[in-house]
Amino acid sequence: MIEIELGLEDVARTRFAISPLWEVVCSVRVLKGADGHGLHRAWAGQVRPRLAAADLDLGPLFDLVPVPTRSPWAGRVPGFLCPPPTTPLPSLDVELATVRATPPEVLRTTAEVPPARMAALRADPAAGLGRLADVIEAYWELALEPYWSRILTLLEDDIRYRAGRLVDGGAQHLFADLDPQVTWAAGRLHLEHRSARGARRLDGRGLLLMPSAFVWPRVFSVLDEPWQPSLRYPPRAVGTLWHRRPATVSDALAAVLGRSRATLLTELTAPASTTGLARRTGLTPGGVSQHLTALRNAGLVSAHRAGREVLYARTRAGETVVEAAGAGPPPPADPA
């Protein structure tokens, strides 16, 4: 058990952030077997063959992401691989620039990673970190970018909920239902940990709270220098992230977009190709392509190349439109 002591300055500096780079790292853990409960099985089932078809050398990234096997240290992730973000929602490009600029003296870790990989990084940091960043970018394009609008919606919804809890009842209210592994009492945050023990002071540095789609059922903490003290925790409703609901086309949405475009937008509960959408909807591939182009021009759909395929996914605007149409019309205005 770790006890984190938060002074007044720490509570005042508590903030939230979302890290695309951390989602990369934690999703690699899932692909390497850290998803024993099968929460992300649907996502992994789509991504694994896509990565295999791309024939990428993912070793520079995968070697640095251990999965718990034998020792309690095996669950650790090298801090330099995913430093806590300094802004609420940095782009992946910004985070990769930080990785490329990692000082050589920070290239160390207690995680169980191949010694040869760490030795190569230390021998030529500029080249090694540059290669690592390139591999992360390639992995992102295939494994996460097509799903990012859905993931981001989940994480932002959790932050809005947490911020409301903080406003309503202060720190105690904020942490009360953050995660079963986290409890708050008498100005201290108690964090269950398999190997670490003792009290930690933040000394006015504040606490960074980061909801993470791929972290469940664990909570990851970063408490050592030089990093910002952070907790990476599962967001609310993460179990519904890949849940495929029946694609019932809203009549209201069809009235605005047309039946075919409304059907395609509704079907995009997960990234799909033109051929796949044609097979599922009964539309011709040519018609699907034309409708997707129109939806893309309207900002409701995005396109992502995955090897030889182009996958289409709903954007955040597209997610909002489908959800709003599914919720039905707003109540009539009060005549008074």
Side-chain angles (χ1 to χ4, degrees):
M1 177 76 70
I2 299 175
E3 290 188 2
I4 305 173
E5 184 176 339
L6 280 77
L8 292 177
E9 191 69 20
D10 297 310
V11 173
R13 292 188 177 183
T14 293
R15 63 186 181 90
F16 294 90
I18 294 170
S19 169
L21 180 55
W22 170 251
E23 298 304 320
V24 166
V25 172
C26 219
S27 69
V28 169
R29 293 185 76 255
V30 168
L31 293 178
K32 292 184 70 173
D35 187 31
H37 297 81
L39 179 64
H40 302 291
R41 185 181 294 116
W43 169 84
Q46 295 181 24
V47 167
R48 281 197 177 100
R50 199 179 300 155
L51 293 173
D55 196 26
L56 298 171
D57 177 13
L58 295 171
L61 170 60
F62 275 50
D63 284 351
L64 294 175
V65 185
V67 173
T69 51
R70 300 176 303 279
S71 77
W73 299 97
R76 294 195 172 211
V77 175
F80 66 83
L81 181 59
C82 47
T86 57
T87 58
L89 179 55
S91 66
L92 182 66
D93 289 342
V94 167
E95 293 195 286
L96 290 182
T98 301
V99 170
R100 289 187 174 98
T102 302
E105 62 271 17
V106 179
L107 294 176
R108 61 183 186 273
T109 182
T110 56
E112 287 189 354
V113 301
R117 181 66 67 187
M118 289 302 303
L121 275 175
R122 293 194 190 98
D124 191 346
L129 291 170
R131 172 63 178 151
L132 173 62
D134 291 343
V135 171
I136 290 173
E137 191 169 31
Y139 173 86
W140 166 269
E141 291 175 357
L142 293 170
L144 285 184
E145 188 176 24
Y147 306 88
W148 186 238
S149 64
R150 173 181 290 201
I151 294 171
L152 188 58
T153 298
L154 176 75
L155 303 183
E156 289 185 329
D157 284 349
D158 185 83
I159 288 177
R160 279 191 289 269
Y161 170 80
R162 297 286 161 210
R165 299 273 293 182
L166 181 62
V167 170
D168 290 342
Q172 183 174 3
H173 204 47
L174 165 64
F175 292 115
D177 65 344
L178 187 77
D179 190 88
Q181 301 168 70
V182 178
T183 55
W184 170 271
R188 289 176 179 260
L189 203 59
H190 299 264
L191 174 63
E192 292 184 15
H193 199 282
R194 291 178 298 175
S195 58
R197 298 288 184 273
R200 308 291 171 84
R201 294 174 56 90
L202 301 187
D203 296 325
R205 293 177 294 160
L207 186 65
L208 176 61
L209 299 174
M210 296 170 53
S212 171
F214 291 95
V215 77
W216 188 88
R218 288 191 57 183
V219 172
F220 279 78
S221 60
V222 177
L223 300 173
D224 299 326
E225 298 280 3
W227 318 115
Q228 166 77 41
S230 309
L231 290 184
R232 293 154 172 164
Y233 66 92
R236 299 169 69 248
V238 66
T240 68
L241 181 58
W242 312 119
H243 180 63
R244 180 178 171 82
R245 290 169 291 185
T248 303
V249 181
S250 161
D251 290 337
L253 188 61
V256 174
L257 299 179
R259 178 65 58 177
S260 295
R261 291 175 186 173
T263 298
L264 291 171
L265 192 61
T266 304
E267 278 287 337
L268 283 174
T269 55
S273 65
T274 299
T275 304
L277 287 169
R279 188 183 307 116
R280 280 153 47 184
T281 62
L283 300 171
T284 65
V288 170
S289 180
Q290 291 179 357
H291 291 311
L292 288 174
T293 297
L295 291 170
R296 186 181 180 187
N297 290 340
L300 301 179
V301 163
S302 56
H304 312 272
R305 180 161 295 280
R308 297 179 180 179
E309 280 189 315
V310 175
L311 298 178
Y312 292 88
R314 288 200 295 241
T315 62
R316 294 168 67 189
E319 296 279 0
T320 301
V321 167
V322 172
E323 289 179 8
D334 187 346

